[in-house]
């Protein structure tokens, strides 16, 4: 099984994924961003599109990597990854379904004020990350048009990461 944690930057995906992993027996965290980083290391570089998710190889490589890891280890993969383009989500989720891999898709949501505050207060990446702020409006648009209909929404505005992880783990186990 895959527990996919979607949502924009500042919603708490990375922190929550590590906590969810501890609450679900026989689970591992798979950061699909590493697949994008691998593609970014190809020399000479692939044509830049502004985001590695726009590269056609990224989406099937995420599916195949997840499939092979699950074939090897069994259990559950917790994947913290923002996917805001509906077509890309369909491609990934359809690819996983073709391999009979069940997916529980969660969106960690917070209001815009909370997200901006979290990004500004981030001690790891720092507050000067225009990259993360750039995705707030595309996230809001995806949430309005398709994303919240495709996933179980966990509003983290007033939740601690521990509380959000507990809510997700209970939903998965229940």
């Amino acid at each position: 099984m895959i527990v996919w944690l979607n949502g924009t930057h500042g919603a708490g995906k990375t922190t929550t994924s590590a906590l969810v992993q501890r609450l679900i027996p026989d689970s591992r965290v798979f950061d699909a961003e590493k697949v994008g980083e691998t593609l970014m290391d190809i020399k000479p570089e692939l044509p830049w599109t502004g985001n590695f998710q726009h590269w056609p190889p990224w989406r099937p490589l995420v599916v195949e990597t997840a499939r092979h890891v699950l074939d090897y280890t069994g259990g559950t993969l917790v994947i913290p990854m923002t996917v805001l383009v509906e077509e890309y989500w369909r491609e990934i989720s359809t690819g996983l379904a073709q391999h009979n891999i069940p997916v529980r898709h969660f969106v960690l949501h917070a209001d815009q004020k909370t997200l901006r505050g979290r990004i500004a207060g981030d001690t790891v990446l720092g507050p000067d990350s225009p990259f993360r702020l750039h995705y707030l409006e595309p996230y809001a648009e995806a949430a309005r048009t398709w994303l919240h209909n495709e996933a179980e929404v966990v509003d983290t505005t007033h939740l601690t990461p521990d509380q959000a992880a507990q809510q997700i783990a209970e939903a998965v186990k229940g």
Side-chain angles (χ1 to χ4, degrees), residues 48-126:
W48 186 238
T49 59
N51 183 325
F52 59 74
Q53 289 188 17
H54 300 316
W55 285 330
W58 180 77
R59 299 171 302 276
L61 285 172
V62 167
V63 170
E64 288 303 310
T65 304
R67 177 179 73 88
H68 284 287
V69 170
L70 286 172
D71 284 350
Y72 180 62
T73 63
T76 299
L77 284 182
V78 180
I79 303 179
M81 189 72 220
T82 301
V83 178
L84 300 179
V85 177
E86 183 177 10
E87 175 186 342
Y88 298 172
W89 176 251
R90 297 258 178 264
E91 189 175 336
I92 291 167
S93 60
T94 299
L96 294 167
Q98 287 172 343
H99 294 293
N100 298 313
I101 301 170
V103 177
R104 290 293 294 270
H105 184 198
F106 294 90
V107 171
L108 302 185
H109 174 79
D111 62 45
Q112 292 280 319
K113 180 181 175 187
T114 299
L115 291 169
R116 290 179 184 282
R118 288 179 185 168
I119 291 169
D122 189 323
T123 58
V124 176
L125 295 176

